[in-house]
Amino acid sequence: MKIGKITAIIAVRKGSERVKDKNIKPFNDTSLLENKIKTLLKVKNLDNIVVSSDCNKMLSLAKTLGVETHLRDSYYTSNECPGSENLKHLAEQINSDYILYTPVTSPLVKPKTYEKIINKFRGFNNDYDSIVTINYLKDFLWLNNAPLNYDPLNCPKSQDLESIFKLNFGACLLKRETMIKNQYVVGDKPYWYELDELEGVDVDVPFDFNIAELIYEKNIKEEIANKKSMLLDCTIRDGGFDTNFNWTEEEVKNTLKASSEIGYNYFEIGYLTDPKILTEKDGLWRNVPFSLISKIKEEVKPKCKISVMIDCWRYNIQDLPPSNETDIDLIRVCSYEEQADIALDMCRTIKSLGYEVSLNIICTSHISMDSFINLRNKLITEDFLDFLCFADSYGALTPDYVKKILILFRNMNPNILIGFHAHDNMSLSMANTITALDNGADMVDGTYTGIGRGGGNLPLELITLYLNVSKGYNLNLNALFKYLDNSMNNKDQIEKTKQAICGILNVHPYRLRDINEKSFVEVYNELNNLSLKDKARYPSKWLKI
């Protein structure tokens, strides 16, 4: 039984000869160093993590992520220093019984794998003094003009080749004194622990880096495909720009009731605004009274949470009471790029008052990737934000840029969920929102019929239908259709929505001809119940089906 402290060492250095700056260059939604630190932080039976480097930038990242650092003399990271001398030096600097040597160049080893390796090592008696990860090779290998593992005159099938294994260095766990004595990460009696081919990928050259990144993305996409994202209804708040926030109380209650029954997670009931800057045209929901929120919530008794929005330049945060004195769950703080620090201070105050809080960055189509990277670095370890939402305020984003934003932020901080808010100026709100969801967005929001200023918002009814039909969500479509039948009175909008139902169900648009006057729920059910053949074709005298 191996008893004692286990410390993981992540050894990195400035630059790289074969893959330039590989330790900190973008690796999908992270970097090799950030990925390794975050992976090891999830390993439950690991006692300590130390990053050793000659690079202040890498050490700063390690400190930001909350792990120990060791500033290594540049000699030990240079080509002049033999590898064995460097390994001995690393072990000498660490105060630990055992060392888990795991370089960033094995980016696909999972936390559960590390835990299994540590548990297996702990159970060893005297039979083994170290555990080292390997992969077997089934290749026709030669060395010095001679075959290593087969007879060319009696050539076997590849599956029958003698197995030769390679060290992949995904994890090397051994006693500190043994590492110092051997000047290596393999003990005198090693246990060879086989990793599967994917986890065993070792990044050595640019090709390896690209392959590892593709596998990493595949793993992320599998996780995303299995999750259900949240939805927020901002009809009253964002749609208020079309009505000057002059909704009736009954309209708000009906909309809240529908959103609750459909299964949306949040309902944004309006703004909180400094009364001094309100105009005569501004309706009640531009600065919704706390007492009115409580009254409506008491009468409707919604299952969803209540949110409000604050423009960071239009509200005095000192006027906000603690959460136990209101019926507000989430406060979203709206900010331009240049106001982010002001907005973040406001978010800290809001969180201290007991609310969930979201920083909503607006006008993202005017923000460069460098600025987004700076924001990411600022928030990477913050714990006061519940959400970080990106708003395409001008409807100018395209799916490729939405994907870049989501990839950059989705793995930033496990404490912060990522949201996306689309506008429809270029008729891309659905495409952009689907892209956001496919790349890890935790919450998206929209309005019924897409009501909102400019090009309008993402139509909630469309994304709801899409998520149910294409992604297996279980939102209440009957409640959605009932609300639309009662509230939608624009003939063009009704026709457009029914055509959208055809599109989402993959039905020929002429199938609407005989049922177009029916209710939304009837149209949906009749189209959905068509056979695949009838969905795909519409009969005519020229076409037999």
Side-chain angles (χ1 to χ4, degrees):
M1 180 71 74
K2 310 290 187 184
I3 299 174
K5 179 180 177 182
I6 297 177
T7 296
I9 294 182
I10 307 172
V12 284
R13 64 171 185 164
K14 292 178 184 176
S16 175
E17 293 184 355
R18 285 171 289 188
V19 182
K20 182 174 173 57
D21 296 325
K22 69 182 176 187
N23 299 319
I24 54 174
K25 72 176 291 188
F27 179 78
N28 198 270
D29 58 8
T30 183
S31 66
L32 291 179
L33 176 56
E34 181 183 325
N35 171 66
K36 182 59 67 175
I37 294 172
K38 287 182 174 180
T39 298
L40 291 173
L41 285 170
K42 296 175 184 176
V43 179
K44 297 175 183 177
N45 51 0
L46 182 62
D47 298 305
N48 194 25
I49 303 168
V50 176
V51 173
S52 174
S53 180
D54 60 339
C55 175
N56 288 327
K57 186 174 182 179
M58 297 181 198
L59 294 175
S60 176
L61 173 62
K63 290 175 183 176
T64 298
L65 291 172
V67 301
E68 290 186 19
T69 60
H70 165 246
L71 177 60
R72 203 162 11 138
D73 187 277
S74 59
Y75 165 72
Y76 293 102
T77 65
S78 70
N79 292 332
E80 298 174 11
C81 178
S84 57
E85 186 179 348
N86 175 50
L87 290 171
K88 178 184 178 184
H89 173 73
L90 282 170
E92 289 173 338
Q93 308 310 305
I94 304 301
N95 181 20
S96 186
D97 299 295
Y98 301 99
I99 289 176
L100 173 64
Y101 179 82
T102 177
V104 301
T105 48
S106 296
L108 303 175
V109 184
K110 299 173 183 176
K112 289 292 184 185
T113 301
Y114 282 116
E115 290 173 4
K116 290 177 182 178
I117 289 170
I118 291 172
N119 285 337
K120 194 167 194 68
F121 180 77
R122 292 282 194 194
F124 289 158
N125 292 315
N126 296 321
D127 294 336
Y128 303 102
D129 67 348
S130 57
I131 188 165
V132 181
T133 56
I134 63 165
N135 282 114
Y136 284 97
L137 300 174
K138 286 287 187 179
D139 295 314
F140 295 89
L141 303 175
W142 285 60
L143 179 66
N144 297 326
N145 285 326
L148 284 178
N149 59 338
Y150 74 102
D151 180 0
L153 300 178
N154 185 24
C155 186
K157 295 178 181 179
S158 59
Q159 62 265 33
D160 297 327
L161 283 168
E162 180 183 352
S163 292
I164 295 178
F165 64 79
K166 66 172 183 176
L167 309 190
N168 56 46
F169 298 100
C172 302
L173 179 53
L174 70 167
K175 201 169 185 178
R176 173 178 175 268
E177 284 80 2
T178 303
M179 184 170 170
I180 293 171
K181 175 179 72 71
N182 289 5
Q183 301 184 64
Y184 197 40
V185 291
V186 180
D188 301 314
K189 296 184 290 183
Y191 178 90
W192 308 116
Y193 188 100
E194 184 181 7
L195 292 180
D196 68 41
E197 289 183 345
L198 297 185
E199 286 190 274
V201 168
D202 178 35
V203 175
D204 197 33
V205 295
F207 177 79
D208 300 329
F209 188 96
N210 294 335
I211 291 296
E213 192 171 28
L214 288 171
I215 297 171
Y216 178 92
E217 172 73 6
K218 180 179 180 291
N219 292 341
I220 291 287
K221 285 299 182 73
E222 288 175 356
E223 292 177 12
I224 291 171
N226 291 323
K227 84 174 187 179
K228 296 289 187 287
S229 299
M230 293 180 283
L231 288 98
L232 181 147
D233 170 15
C234 57
T235 301
I236 303 304
R237 196 272 307 167
D238 211 344
F241 288 104
D242 264 18
T243 67
N244 286 324
F245 301 94
N246 286 305
W247 305 100
T248 67
E249 188 175 322
E250 200 62 29
E251 285 175 321
V252 174
K253 288 194 290 187
N254 288 339
T255 307
L256 172 57
K257 182 179 179 182
S259 294
S260 174
E261 291 177 351
I262 292 166
Y264 299 149
N265 305 87
Y266 290 87
F267 180 85
E268 199 150 73
I269 202 166
Y271 274 101
L272 297 182
T273 307
D274 189 336
K276 300 185 189 69
I277 63 175
L278 294 174
T279 68
E280 293 181 359
K281 294 180 180 180
D282 289 324
L284 188 63
W285 311 94
R286 193 68 165 102
N287 183 35
V288 56
F290 297 116
S291 58
L292 181 57
I293 295 174
S294 296
K295 176 177 179 290
I296 290 174
K297 188 172 182 180
E298 174 61 28
E299 292 177 4
V300 176
K301 294 181 172 55
K303 291 173 282 187
C304 58
K305 293 182 178 182
I306 300 296
S307 73
V308 295
M309 181 166 279
I310 290 173
D311 290 335
C312 70
W313 65 96
R314 286 196 179 111
Y315 188 72
N316 182 357
I317 199 63
Q318 304 305 318
D319 294 337
L320 182 66
S323 63
N324 59 10
E325 296 179 18
T326 77
D327 277 297
I328 297 169
D329 299 292
L330 168 67
I331 295 179
R332 304 206 293 172
V333 179
C334 188
S335 168
Y336 290 97
E337 174 190 2
E338 61 270 20
Q339 299 168 312
D341 288 336
I342 296 171
L344 284 170
D345 285 340
M346 190 175 281
C347 288
R348 287 187 184 91
T349 300
I350 292 168
K351 188 66 176 180
S352 72
L353 292 171
Y355 297 94
E356 295 176 38
V357 63
S358 172
L359 173 64
N360 281 39
I361 300 294
I362 61 174
C363 308
T364 50
S365 54
H366 279 280
I367 301 177
S368 68
M369 270 297 143
D370 285 342
S371 294
F372 279 132
I373 289 170
N374 289 337
L375 177 64
R376 186 187 193 277
N377 292 339
K378 187 177 297 185
L379 297 177
I380 194 167
T381 58
E382 296 291 359
D383 60 1
F384 63 91
L385 278 183
D386 296 288
F387 295 94
L388 174 64
C389 181
F390 298 98
D392 180 20
S393 308
Y394 305 148
L397 289 180
T398 53
D400 60 333
Y401 205 67
V402 173
K403 181 178 180 179
K404 288 179 181 178
I405 295 171
L406 264 294
I407 287 177
L408 180 63
F409 284 94
R410 69 186 178 196
N411 190 33
M412 170 188 68
N413 185 323
N415 301 310
I416 302 175
L417 301 177
I418 304 301
F420 181 72
H421 176 94
H423 278 249
D424 206 36
N425 300 59
M426 297 196 299
S427 299
L428 286 174
S429 64
M430 270 291 281
N432 285 336
T433 300
I434 290 171
T435 298
L437 290 167
D438 285 348
N439 287 281
D442 299 291
M443 183 163 72
V444 297
D445 43 282
T447 61
Y448 291 110
T449 72
I451 186 174
R453 65 180 169 185
N457 291 274
L458 168 73
L460 270 176
E461 58 274 13
L462 299 192
I463 195 64
T464 303
L465 283 163
Y466 169 79
L467 291 174
N468 263 38
V469 172
S470 300
K471 296 297 182 181
Y473 282 50
N474 192 31
L475 298 163
N476 186 343
L477 296 186
N478 286 331
L480 171 65
F481 294 140
K482 180 181 177 181
Y483 176 79
L484 294 179
D485 280 323
N486 291 333
S487 62
M488 191 182 288
N489 48 35
N490 182 292
K491 288 185 178 181
D492 290 340
Q493 186 69 55
I494 292 171
E495 171 67 20
K496 184 178 179 181
T497 303
K498 289 178 178 177
Q499 289 291 353
I501 292 174
C502 278
I504 289 169
L505 292 175
N506 201 13
V507 175
H508 194 296
Y510 284 179
R511 290 290 177 186
L512 270 178
R513 286 177 169 177
D514 298 329
I515 60 174
N516 209 16
E517 299 304 315
K518 294 187 177 183
S519 69
F520 280 107
V521 67
E522 290 172 319
V523 167
Y524 176 83
N525 287 335
E526 291 195 30
L527 294 177
N528 193 39
N529 289 331
L530 290 171
S531 68
L532 183 60
K533 179 180 177 182
D534 287 341
K535 286 181 178 180
R537 299 289 184 270
Y538 185 79
S540 74
K541 63 181 179 180
W542 308 112
L543 178 67
K544 293 181 181 181
I545 62 171

